[in-house]
Amino acid sequence: MNFELSDEQRALQEAARGALSRHKTLEAARDALDGGERLDLWDMAREVGWPGLLVSEEHGGAGLGGLDAMLVLAECGRVLASVPLLGHVPATAVLDAAGSHAELLSALADGERRAAFAGAQPPGDLSQEWTADPRRGHARVPAPRAEVDGDAAVVTGEVAWVPDAPGADVLVVAVVDADGAARAVLVDAGAQGVTVEPVVRYDATRLLGHVRLDGARGEVLAAADTELAAAWYLGQGLLAAESLGAVERALEVSVEYAKERFTFGRAIGSYQAVKHALVEVLRRQENARSLMYYAGWARQDAPAEFPLAASAARVAAGRALDFAARELISVHGGIGATWEHDAPYYFRRAQLSRRLLGGMGSATDRVAGELLGQAAA
Amino acid sequence: MNFELSDEQRALQEAARGALSRHKTLEAARDALDGGERLDLWDMAREVGWPGLLVSEEHGGAGLGGLDAMLVLAECGRVLASVPLLGHVPATAVLDAAGSHAELLSALADGERRAAFAGAQPPGDLSQEWTADPRRGHARVPAPRAEVDGDAAVVTGEVAWVPDAPGADVLVVAVVDADGAARAVLVDAGAQGVTVEPVVRYDATRLLGHVRLDGARGEVLAAADTELAAAWYLGQGLLAAESLGAVERALEVSVEYAKERFTFGRAIGSYQAVKHALVEVLRRQENARSLMYYAGWARQDAPAEFPLAASAARVAAGRALDFAARELISVHGGIGATWEHDAPYYFRRAQLSRRLLGGMGSATDRVAGELLGQAAA
Amino acid sequence: MDLNDTPQQAEYRAKVRSWLEEHKHEAPVLQGEGAIEDEHEAVEAHRAWQRKLAEAGLTGVTWPTEYGGQGLGPLEQVIVNQEISRAGVPGILDAIGVGMLGPTIIAHGTEEQKQRYLAAMLHGDEVWCQLFSEPAAGSDLAGIQSRAKPQDDGSWVLNGQKVWTTNAQFASFGLLLARTDPDVPKHKGLTMFIVPMDAEGVTVRGLRQITGDAEFNEVFFDDVALDPDLVVGPVNGGWGTALTTLMFERLTIGGGGEGMGYRADRFARALASDPAAVRDPEVRKRFGELATDLLALRFTGYRILTALQRGQIPGPEAGMGKVTVVNAAVAAGDLIADVIGPDAFSLDDEWNYLISFLPGLKSAGGTEEILRNTVGERVLGLPPEPRLDKGIPFSELRDKEREAAGASA
Amino acid sequence: MDLNDTPQQAEYRAKVRSWLEEHKHEAPVLQGEGAIEDEHEAVEAHRAWQRKLAEAGLTGVTWPTEYGGQGLGPLEQVIVNQEISRAGVPGILDAIGVGMLGPTIIAHGTEEQKQRYLAAMLHGDEVWCQLFSEPAAGSDLAGIQSRAKPQDDGSWVLNGQKVWTTNAQFASFGLLLARTDPDVPKHKGLTMFIVPMDAEGVTVRGLRQITGDAEFNEVFFDDVALDPDLVVGPVNGGWGTALTTLMFERLTIGGGGEGMGYRADRFARALASDPAAVRDPEVRKRFGELATDLLALRFTGYRILTALQRGQIPGPEAGMGKVTVVNAAVAAGDLIADVIGPDAFSLDDEWNYLISFLPGLKSAGGTEEILRNTVGERVLGLPPEPRLDKGIPFSELRDKEREAAGASA
């Protein structure tokens, strides 16, 4: 029994925190909203080897596990750093599993080239469909369709709000073939029929794009549909980790202020209303952390539980961040709702993250579906 | 503009409180659970004229409005009194609207005979069906069917958990005829093919029965389907009122205790955790009261809004009672969860009420449906 | 129960409605399509509109006639508000001045002050702002640190900072609470002043909110000289004067309710346009619950109006309406953005604005925690928290706080 | 991350499993179908089973070998618990004695006490109960009023009342905290005693809960004579002794998690049997959220076990697991009863029991509020509430309280 981080994992965490501390990420988050340039930390990520975190060592990667990637994302989330890993990492995981394209993989592991994952939500207990995020509205849309001929595929369809798609060199797309089977297709971002429309919403640290495929030609990867599903859930886990990191920092800042700020002759942190709310942030944070560990462990050691584990981690971390970001504003009183303060950027992060990659609603539904499906079996 | 109770209504309230104070209703609630006899206050109700509250004066009733009946139910709810009005009052409202059966109406108004309403939930924005509460489970069931021939009807079907059905002399049943139209049918409780199975669950002050109709013969009443719908919503409003009354008393008892009980040298009511929770009870209570007034006003002056108003009142009052009953237990510490204390009987009331007459879920859905339907129109 | 006007009220409403009908084409467009873009122009157009309303007797409805008001009751003010809203025209520019600060001057000012300031306020010629809150005195308003020192010639010199000041950027005057004696307990050494906003040493700085708009200002005072005749109410009796202002603030808020536009039908329209959302029981459940709260708010509003009509002043429990509306609106914003997805955060989307605006609104005008304390103590009669600052001179309080912060850090 | 046993643990687990495999037919049936109905018979059968477990070395796993224990670590205790649960047999009768009270005696008792009491406790021959809580001393445990007065011969006379006492109806001894000096501040005048439950003047009365079952007792003491050798730890040093017990209590709770049977898969089975519920997004949303909490609890449990294995003692934050599990179980009960309808409250329905049991569990072992205070102060380092009872002799406290209650009433 050992359900804590290893020494190597702690070292990875510390190194990540150290590397990020040399960048003014929060100021960048504010400036970017005010029309400034997004602070792209890809070069820094390359220096510390993050692009190849999940790529096997034979292809020049670090050959680490899902939990290691989550730990890095948590550190990015703490300081709202804009590092396009949420799209890149799941894409490299699919490619690595496919076992082909060694040269491309090396370039991706090195960070010389960048990938994004235009994923689809796998079928659940109630539906056999692979669905993609729509541009707008409550109804999910079918994943792109592909005509497959041997290794070649012609893909048509759209995936909206793909993390890190703008500027990616290649896209790994989850498609459905004529037989209704899910396939992974590698598409060059510059290929004919591919358009990536960059979109910025609310949290300008977030690089998003609508990926539109109009008869775009790509290569079918030898990755099973379970790999596509795992990549979707890896995205959920990474988003969970990012959110958890943001919660940690939000709580630290809130606690610090609650000790220093006085009202009616007492530090506000001595009042139960404030104290109990901050303990609630802590409770949610630690629950989210336990589930992030679960997701990391399950991806490696219990793949059948990974959909449940990653979805649960996302739900717990997302709800924790929702609560923590509002509490961060609230504990600071009016000043927490001003442009100059850091709190609103954690709030923006929470608001947007909640609606990405299927949204919190789909993740919650998936937790239920996994357990109800098992119970019915 | 006058959105407060009239002097007559305050007098009605006070008289009700006075009449009920002469009975040990809370002890009766406990004893009944321990196998004792239910304390039936029908005779008291007759003395003060409650059976005829909504029956027009020409038929020997008081000819009062829905809000007046709600005020009486609120007083019963305060002290968890078992007075079978929740079933009787909507039944008399339908009969009175039908304008027939003058003799029966007089007997019902006097309380010499007792009625119950085996109602059905009217169609909403998404469904055209009239549905009844099932014995068990999440799926609602169709309202009983009837073959209608002139004034005569032959009814088949079941309505479960009908308030005050056991011991009722007549039943007003919401049925659907061969054309799919809703009709009100008067059935004698002793008629062939009618069985009323008494059921007690959790809150022994509550008189419930499964009403089963196997080709039972009854008389079709000249009441429009809007009257049947109004009777259903009247039931929602009465249940709301009952809950509101229980909240009022739960809050009083909680506040009293919070002033007297000391811990760590301070009255527990001085701690924010307790104080803020009790203020939350008050907030919910007053919201529920405003909506009960709305329901009372709408039934009289804006019938088109009555479904919305009564459903909203039920949601607000039901949620308030859920919260207040748990808080009543919680503020008392462990002692609040003991059989000897009064708190558990408020908790039982909350738990059971929440699942009656379509349940809180249907009422909440109906609030949404009414507003979404209007918005779409 | 009766939601209709009395005959007198109906007559008054008809009069107001007909005036608005006749003059609404003269009203400026300040929001939505065709709105005046330049802020200065918008303020001037709004000022001109306030003047017209004033001349028609539609501002200061409850002010005494001797100061240019109509001497009517709060219900008539509500009727005017309702009719203005119905006509789709803006209200007055200086709602804070006319609603709260003017009445404070009427209650506590000298006759000279009343003559000098009230008429110009009512007509919008001189807009006012409220200079109470400070960075370190929000919930605990009496903890104010802005300092006005008496001079030998009877004048005062003001130094300090205020925050959350609406309209400061174009106000002519501010009503300001300052500490004039730090050596007595904190409620006892405060004085209320009128501050000319164009005085030397006054600096106004916009304070941007999450929305990106500067909805409030910070105001800095650097050796601002104040004449003796600018004191309102007794010297060192400013706390009592401020309580009058706060009472009028509650009255203003209590009368409203859905005034902020957080109405169930507005949110219903947003959801009804998405068929998948309409069919989703989870969406319906969340909407049903928040809509119930918003409906409750409307009918609680009618109860408060009934009380006002009967001459009762709403108690602190009226403030709970803010808790209800803010939380219901937050739930609505959450739900609608869940339904729409990330696109709800498009820059020009109304939900983007709503979601961004609410966190600031939550603490504006007192936090939910303080309100719950007040209601718990004054309405439910629960015992107060132990107060560690009672009876201690203000000047010593800060030292104690620093000491305590050091000990716990 | 590794959820597997170390080789040594695996070996130990195999040994435990094989013993249980061999002997599980000897275990009594205490719950469900075929359960022993008579309470006395059930207790005796349970006692015999504890003796067998003790003889096999499966009780007091962490106790020192000199007192009959196995001298192993908390992980081995967890392995035993897991295997007992897996085998579907009851645990020991006296979990409170062996888990919390025995270790207290080991830490603070005299050698005579250890020799006299520990072996009989371990084998279930003498069951123990914990006599700490009182009607007026729950959250504020140090507010205990039970009074033990010293006699000239060195013995004590005990008067007072205890409450929430599990197993008191068949316990041989109780470990009791009593006030021995009321003239010092409240934490300083307490002493821990061993009380023979058959002593004259001890009365046990069952205390029924919402479920209708007497899950706890009240215990009354009326001039009960206690020999000098029944004092555990220093006279007037009982607070320190009690802290040891509470530390072991936390350890016991911290190691568990889903032990109460509030598992996501159990609730999933209830819902999965209703197709309409499975298809309802609103039901799924509520279930998904509470299931997430319960899953988090399981994996938080593994983190705590890892810490235990590393020799760390769980901090107060481990108690938050109770907040999570109770609230998730309440949500599950609410949801399942919403799905089933009133019939969920049939007398023999497991949900009827669950819903009734939870409100009592909520305050058992300290309220959520006290826990949040403790975690806020000790884990987050937030400043404490002002304490009005500090340094005041206990005897004066009560007068102050009465006075304050009178003033606010």
Side-chain angles (χ1 to χ4, degrees):
Chain A
M1 160 72 63
N2 173 15
F3 210 67
E4 262 307 333
L5 301 184
S6 64
D7 291 344
E8 290 76 16
Q9 286 169 329
R10 293 211 183 276
L12 178 71
Q13 257 182 338
E14 273 168 42
R17 194 168 302 186
L20 288 161
S21 71
R22 286 187 285 280
H23 299 274
K24 299 195 165 172
T25 50
L26 273 153
E27 288 164 39
R30 182 182 295 109
D31 290 349
L33 267 181
D34 252 341
E37 189 93 345
R38 192 176 56 85
L39 175 66
D40 190 323
L41 296 176
W42 188 246
D43 287 341
M44 185 213 77
R46 289 183 65 180
E47 279 165 34
V48 286
W50 293 346
L53 275 173
L54 291 198
V55 177
S56 46
E57 288 176 274
E58 52 171 321
H59 293 120
L64 293 176
L67 183 57
D68 304 289
M70 290 179 208
L71 295 175
V72 167
L73 268 283
E75 292 305 317
C76 295
R78 270 184 79 83
V79 293
L80 308 183
S82 183
V83 190
L85 293 170
L86 189 55
H88 182 79
V89 167
T92 60
V94 176
L95 267 164
D96 198 72
S100 54
H101 299 83
E103 205 175 318
L104 172 61
L105 255 177
S106 303
L108 294 175
D110 169 76
E112 188 194 327
R113 304 189 75 191
R114 198 153 70 62
F117 179 56
Q121 179 173 274
D125 64 323
L126 294 184
S127 151
Q128 287 311 306
E129 249 198 306
W130 290 75
T131 57
D133 290 0
R135 286 202 180 205
R136 190 179 172 101
H138 198 54
R140 295 188 60 72
V141 296
R145 287 163 296 114
E147 287 161 36
V148 173
D149 183 6
D151 283 355
V154 178
V155 184
T156 299
E158 184 176 83
V159 186
W161 314 105
V162 176
D164 308 326
D169 301 292
V170 293
L171 303 167
V172 174
V173 187
V175 305
V176 173
D177 68 17
D179 300 331
R183 313 289 289 263
V185 174
L186 178 68
V187 176
D188 199 284
Q192 208 172 3
V194 179
T195 45
V196 175
E197 178 190 333
V199 268
V200 177
R201 292 288 185 279
Y202 212 58
D203 172 358
T205 64
R206 194 66 96 184
L207 195 59
L208 298 171
H210 298 329
V211 173
R212 165 114 220 116
L213 304 147
D214 289 306
R217 292 178 185 281
E219 293 174 66
V220 178
L221 296 171
D225 60 355
T226 50
E227 291 297 339
L228 272 180
W232 171 265
Y233 292 113
L234 180 59
Q236 304 289 312
L238 295 175
L239 202 49
E242 234 193 34
S243 299
L244 173 60
V247 172
E248 287 174 1
R249 185 64 195 143
L251 179 58
E252 287 166 14
V253 174
S254 299
V255 166
E256 208 172 314
Y257 190 75
K259 289 179 188 172
E260 286 168 4
R261 169 83 180 189
F262 277 66
T263 187
F264 300 111
R266 287 167 53 185
I268 58 171
S270 73
Y271 291 97
Q272 286 188 334
V274 172
K275 186 179 289 172
H276 291 188
L278 295 180
V279 170
E280 177 63 10
V281 176
L282 176 69
R283 186 182 74 82
R284 294 180 184 222
Q285 171 187 293
E286 293 309 307
N287 280 349
R289 190 189 313 286
S290 298
L291 289 171
M292 181 181 80
Y293 289 1
Y294 176 31
W297 172 81
R299 183 168 182 273
Q300 224 86 345
D301 294 345
E305 291 180 47
F306 189 47
L308 174 64
S311 303
R314 169 153 193 207
V315 171
R319 283 166 59 85
L321 180 54
D322 251 4
F323 188 85
R326 287 197 186 274
E327 191 54 33
L328 175 62
I329 293 176
S330 165
V331 78
H332 282 84
I335 203 76
T338 57
W339 196 263
E340 277 72 27
H341 200 273
D342 289 345
Y345 307 94
Y346 285 86
F347 178 72
R348 286 172 180 271
R349 169 59 64 95
Q351 289 293 324
L352 181 61
S353 292
R354 169 171 171 161
R355 278 93 196 182
L356 291 181
L357 295 180
M360 288 277 291
S362 295
T364 312
D365 189 83
R366 187 51 49 100
V367 171
E370 289 292 311
L371 290 164
L372 292 170
Q374 281 166 31
Chain B
M1 162 72 62
N2 173 16
F3 209 67
E4 264 306 332
L5 301 182
S6 64
D7 291 344
E8 291 76 15
Q9 286 168 326
R10 295 211 179 276
L12 178 70
Q13 257 182 337
E14 272 167 44
R17 193 169 302 186
L20 288 161
S21 71
R22 285 186 285 278
H23 300 273
K24 299 193 166 177
T25 50
L26 272 152
E27 288 163 40
R30 183 183 293 107
D31 290 350
L33 266 182
D34 252 339
E37 189 94 345
R38 191 177 57 84
L39 175 67
D40 189 323
L41 296 177
W42 187 247
D43 286 344
M44 184 211 79
R46 289 183 65 180
E47 279 166 36
V48 285
W50 294 346
L53 275 173
L54 292 199
V55 177
S56 46
E57 288 174 276
E58 52 172 323
H59 294 118
L64 292 176
L67 183 58
D68 304 289
M70 292 178 207
L71 295 174
V72 167
L73 268 284
E75 293 306 318
C76 295
R78 270 184 80 85
V79 294
L80 308 182
S82 185
V83 190
L85 293 170
L86 189 55
H88 182 80
V89 167
T92 59
V94 176
L95 268 164
D96 198 72
S100 54
H101 299 83
E103 206 173 317
L104 172 62
L105 254 179
S106 305
L108 294 174
D110 170 77
E112 187 194 329
R113 304 189 74 191
R114 199 154 69 60
F117 178 56
Q121 179 174 274
D125 62 326
L126 294 184
S127 151
Q128 288 311 306
E129 250 198 305
W130 291 75
T131 59
D133 290 358
R135 285 203 181 205
R136 191 178 172 100
H138 199 53
R140 297 189 59 74
V141 297
R145 286 163 296 116
E147 287 162 39
V148 174
D149 183 9
D151 282 356
V154 179
V155 185
T156 299
E158 184 177 85
V159 186
W161 314 106
V162 176
D164 308 326
D169 301 289
V170 292
L171 302 167
V172 174
V173 187
V175 305
V176 173
D177 68 17
D179 302 329
R183 314 288 289 261
V185 174
L186 178 69
V187 175
D188 200 285
Q192 208 172 2
V194 179
T195 46
V196 175
E197 178 191 333
V199 268
V200 177
R201 292 289 185 278
Y202 212 59
D203 172 358
T205 64
R206 194 65 97 183
L207 194 60
L208 298 171
H210 299 328
V211 173
R212 166 115 219 115
L213 304 147
D214 290 306
R217 290 178 186 281
E219 294 174 65
V220 178
L221 295 171
D225 59 356
T226 50
E227 291 297 339
L228 272 181
W232 171 263
Y233 292 114
L234 180 59
Q236 304 290 313
L238 295 175
L239 201 49
E242 234 193 34
S243 299
L244 173 61
V247 172
E248 286 174 1
R249 184 67 194 142
L251 179 58
E252 287 167 12
V253 173
S254 300
V255 166
E256 209 171 315
Y257 190 76
K259 288 181 190 172
E260 286 168 5
R261 169 82 179 189
F262 276 66
T263 188
F264 301 110
R266 286 166 54 185
I268 59 171
S270 73
Y271 291 98
Q272 286 188 333
V274 172
K275 185 179 291 173
H276 291 190
L278 294 179
V279 169
E280 178 62 12
V281 176
L282 176 69
R283 188 183 72 85
R284 293 181 183 220
Q285 170 187 292
E286 292 310 307
N287 279 350
R289 188 187 317 284
S290 297
L291 289 171
M292 180 180 83
Y293 289 0
Y294 176 30
W297 172 81
R299 183 170 183 272
Q300 224 85 346
D301 293 345
E305 292 180 46
F306 189 48
L308 174 64
S311 304
R314 170 155 191 206
V315 171
R319 284 166 58 83
L321 180 54
D322 251 3
F323 187 86
R326 287 197 187 274
E327 192 53 32
L328 175 62
I329 292 176
S330 167
V331 79
H332 282 82
I335 203 76
T338 58
W339 195 263
E340 277 74 28
H341 200 275
D342 289 345
Y345 306 95
Y346 284 86
F347 178 72
R348 286 174 180 272
R349 169 58 64 95
Q351 289 293 323
L352 182 62
S353 293
R354 169 171 170 161
R355 278 93 194 182
L356 291 179
L357 296 180
M360 286 277 288
S362 296
T364 312
D365 191 82
R366 187 51 48 102
V367 171
E370 288 294 312
L371 289 164
L372 292 171
Q374 281 167 29
Chain C
M1 304 254 154
D2 182 5
L3 292 182
N4 299 320
D5 292 330
T6 61
Q8 294 87 331
Q9 289 165 349
E11 191 184 324
Y12 183 70
R13 186 185 296 278
K15 214 179 70 184
V16 173
R17 186 174 296 183
S18 97
W19 187 91
L20 284 166
E21 209 48 54
E22 197 175 323
H23 295 271
K24 71 179 179 187
H25 66 278
E26 300 164 28
V29 179
L30 300 173
Q31 282 189 327
E33 213 176 322
I36 304 174
E37 277 180 27
D38 180 80
E39 201 209 347
H40 176 74
E41 269 179 49
V43 166
E44 289 314 311
H46 202 168
R47 194 194 293 276
W49 177 240
Q50 175 167 345
R51 172 183 291 276
K52 282 190 187 124
L53 290 169
E55 283 163 0
L58 302 181
T59 63
V61 173
T62 60
W63 284 24
T65 47
E66 56 193 300
Y67 303 119
Q70 303 298 313
L72 298 171
L75 255 283
E76 280 75 13
Q77 179 67 62
V78 168
I79 289 173
V80 168
N81 297 348
Q82 288 173 341
E83 291 302 316
I84 283 177
S85 160
R86 183 180 177 281
V89 297
I92 61 173
L93 172 62
D94 189 12
I96 293 167
V98 175
M100 295 154 53
L101 311 182
T104 306
I105 290 173
I106 293 170
H108 296 281
T110 62
E111 197 48 42
E112 289 72 26
Q113 288 169 339
K114 296 176 192 176
Q115 295 305 334
R116 161 67 189 85
Y117 299 111
L118 291 173
M121 179 192 286
L122 204 60
H123 289 78
D125 297 338
E126 292 168 348
V127 170
W128 285 62
C129 61
Q130 182 187 11
L131 298 165
F132 286 18
S133 293
E134 296 186 1
S139 298
D140 181 11
L141 183 59
I144 273 174
Q145 294 178 38
S146 285
R147 183 69 206 283
K149 283 194 187 170
Q151 308 297 306
D152 292 342
D153 63 355
S155 74
W156 304 79
V157 172
L158 172 69
N159 280 284
Q161 181 193 349
K162 296 286 174 177
V163 75
W164 315 125
T165 317
T166 306
N167 297 350
Q169 72 275 28
F170 53 78
S172 305
F173 296 96
L175 195 67
L176 174 137
L177 196 58
R179 187 159 307 278
T180 39
D181 184 353
D183 300 321
V184 292
K186 60 185 186 178
H187 291 82
K188 301 197 171 162
L190 300 169
T191 303
M192 190 75 82
F193 292 92
I194 294 168
V195 178
M197 295 297 285
D198 60 358
E200 202 169 332
V202 177
T203 314
V204 175
R205 213 186 69 167
L207 191 57
R208 290 172 77 195
Q209 302 296 294
I210 303 183
T211 55
D213 298 344
E215 287 144 15
F216 304 105
N217 299 278
E218 296 175 291
V219 186
F220 301 87
F221 304 97
D222 188 12
D223 283 337
V224 176
L226 298 174
D227 285 346
D229 61 1
L230 293 172
V231 171
V232 180
V235 169
N236 291 330
W239 184 247
T241 316
L243 287 181
T244 301
T245 314
L246 297 178
M247 194 267 284
F248 282 106
E249 183 172 17
R250 213 160 64 222
L251 219 89
T252 311
I253 295 172
E258 291 174 312
M260 285 182 276
Y262 302 144
R263 293 176 54 103
D265 51 359
R266 172 180 167 203
F267 300 131
R269 276 194 303 277
L271 296 171
S273 65
D274 188 318
V278 169
R279 283 192 308 269
D280 183 337
E282 197 260 335
V283 170
R284 294 166 69 92
K285 159 83 167 304
R286 287 163 66 189
F287 178 61
E289 288 184 351
L290 75 91
T292 297
D293 280 350
L294 291 171
L295 282 171
L297 199 73
R298 181 189 305 167
F299 292 91
T300 301
Y302 293 141
R303 289 170 62 200
I304 293 174
L305 288 181
T306 303
L308 281 175
Q309 182 166 264
R310 293 177 182 179
Q312 296 155 4
I313 289 177
E317 69 276 18
M320 289 193 298
K322 198 196 127 193
V323 175
T324 298
V325 72
V326 169
N327 290 329
V330 165
D334 269 353
L335 173 59
I336 292 172
D338 281 348
V339 162
I340 295 178
D343 214 35
F345 298 108
S346 301
L347 269 187
D348 54 353
D349 198 294
E350 67 177 310
W351 311 117
N352 179 47
Y353 186 82
L354 174 111
I355 290 167
S356 305
F357 183 74
L358 287 169
L361 182 62
K362 214 174 159 99
S363 61
T367 64
E368 188 170 325
E369 286 75 25
I370 296 294
L371 180 75
R372 286 187 192 269
N373 277 356
T374 309
V375 173
E377 290 158 25
R378 293 191 23 214
V379 181
L380 296 180
L382 293 168
E385 297 254 357
R387 284 284 292 267
L388 303 188
D389 56 350
K390 259 198 183 152
I392 298 174
F394 183 76
S395 50
E396 289 172 27
L397 261 184
R398 297 279 297 168
D399 297 337
K400 279 178 61 109
E401 290 178 4
R402 279 198 205 94
E403 201 181 307
S408 85
Chain D
M1 303 254 153
D2 182 6
L3 292 183
N4 299 320
D5 292 330
T6 62
Q8 292 89 329
Q9 288 166 350
E11 193 184 323
Y12 183 72
R13 185 185 296 277
K15 216 179 69 186
V16 173
R17 187 174 297 182
S18 97
W19 187 90
L20 284 166
E21 209 46 54
E22 198 175 321
H23 296 270
K24 70 179 182 189
H25 66 278
E26 300 165 30
V29 179
L30 300 172
Q31 282 190 327
E33 213 178 321
I36 304 172
E37 277 181 27
D38 180 78
E39 201 208 348
H40 177 75
E41 269 179 50
V43 166
E44 290 314 311
H46 202 169
R47 193 194 294 276
W49 176 239
Q50 176 168 342
R51 171 183 291 279
K52 284 191 186 122
L53 289 170
E55 285 164 358
L58 301 182
T59 63
V61 174
T62 60
W63 284 25
T65 49
E66 57 192 301
Y67 303 120
Q70 303 298 312
L72 296 172
L75 254 283
E76 281 76 11
Q77 179 66 63
V78 168
I79 288 173
V80 169
N81 297 348
Q82 287 172 342
E83 291 302 315
I84 283 178
S85 159
R86 183 179 176 279
V89 297
I92 60 175
L93 171 62
D94 189 12
I96 291 167
V98 175
M100 296 154 52
L101 310 183
T104 305
I105 289 172
I106 292 170
H108 297 282
T110 62
E111 197 49 40
E112 290 71 27
Q113 288 171 340
K114 295 176 191 176
Q115 295 304 332
R116 162 66 190 83
Y117 299 110
L118 291 174
M121 179 193 285
L122 203 61
H123 289 78
D125 297 338
E126 292 169 351
V127 169
W128 285 61
C129 61
Q130 181 187 13
L131 298 164
F132 285 19
S133 293
E134 297 187 359
S139 298
D140 182 10
L141 182 58
I144 272 175
Q145 295 178 37
S146 284
R147 183 69 204 280
K149 284 194 185 171
Q151 309 297 303
D152 292 342
D153 63 356
S155 74
W156 304 80
V157 171
L158 171 69
N159 282 284
Q161 181 193 351
K162 297 286 175 178
V163 75
W164 315 123
T165 317
T166 307
N167 296 350
Q169 71 275 28
F170 52 79
S172 304
F173 296 98
L175 194 67
L176 174 137
L177 196 58
R179 188 159 306 280
T180 40
D181 183 353
D183 298 321
V184 292
K186 61 185 186 176
H187 292 82
K188 301 197 168 160
L190 300 168
T191 302
M192 190 75 81
F193 293 92
I194 295 169
V195 178
M197 295 298 285
D198 59 359
E200 201 169 330
V202 177
T203 313
V204 175
R205 211 187 70 167
L207 191 58
R208 290 172 77 194
Q209 302 296 293
I210 302 182
T211 55
D213 299 344
E215 289 144 13
F216 304 104
N217 299 279
E218 296 174 290
V219 185
F220 301 87
F221 305 96
D222 188 11
D223 282 337
V224 176
L226 297 174
D227 285 346
D229 60 2
L230 293 171
V231 171
V232 180
V235 169
N236 291 331
W239 184 247
T241 316
L243 286 183
T244 301
T245 315
L246 298 178
M247 196 266 286
F248 282 106
E249 181 171 18
R250 214 161 61 219
L251 220 89
T252 313
I253 296 173
E258 292 175 313
M260 284 182 277
Y262 302 143
R263 293 176 54 103
D265 52 357
R266 172 180 169 205
F267 301 131
R269 278 194 301 279
L271 296 170
S273 66
D274 189 317
V278 170
R279 281 192 307 270
D280 183 336
E282 196 261 333
V283 170
R284 295 167 67 92
K285 159 82 168 304
R286 287 162 68 188
F287 177 61
E289 288 185 351
L290 73 92
T292 295
D293 280 349
L294 291 171
L295 283 173
L297 199 72
R298 181 190 303 166
F299 292 92
T300 301
Y302 293 142
R303 289 171 61 199
I304 293 173
L305 288 181
T306 304
L308 281 175
Q309 183 167 264
R310 295 179 180 177
Q312 296 155 4
I313 289 177
E317 68 276 18
M320 288 193 299
K322 200 196 125 193
V323 175
T324 299
V325 72
V326 169
N327 290 330
V330 165
D334 269 353
L335 173 59
I336 292 172
D338 281 347
V339 162
I340 296 177
D343 213 35
F345 298 107
S346 300
L347 267 188
D348 54 355
D349 197 294
E350 65 176 308
W351 311 118
N352 178 46
Y353 185 83
L354 175 109
I355 290 168
S356 304
F357 182 75
L358 286 169
L361 181 63
K362 215 176 156 97
S363 61
T367 63
E368 189 171 321
E369 286 75 24
I370 295 295
L371 180 75
R372 285 188 193 268
N373 276 355
T374 309
V375 173
E377 290 158 24
R378 293 188 26 210
V379 181
L380 296 181
L382 293 169
E385 296 253 358
R387 286 284 293 266
L388 303 188
D389 55 351
K390 259 200 184 149
I392 298 172
F394 183 75
S395 50
E396 290 173 25
L397 263 183
R398 297 279 296 165
D399 295 339
K400 279 179 60 108
E401 290 178 6
R402 278 196 206 95
E403 200 182 305
S408 86

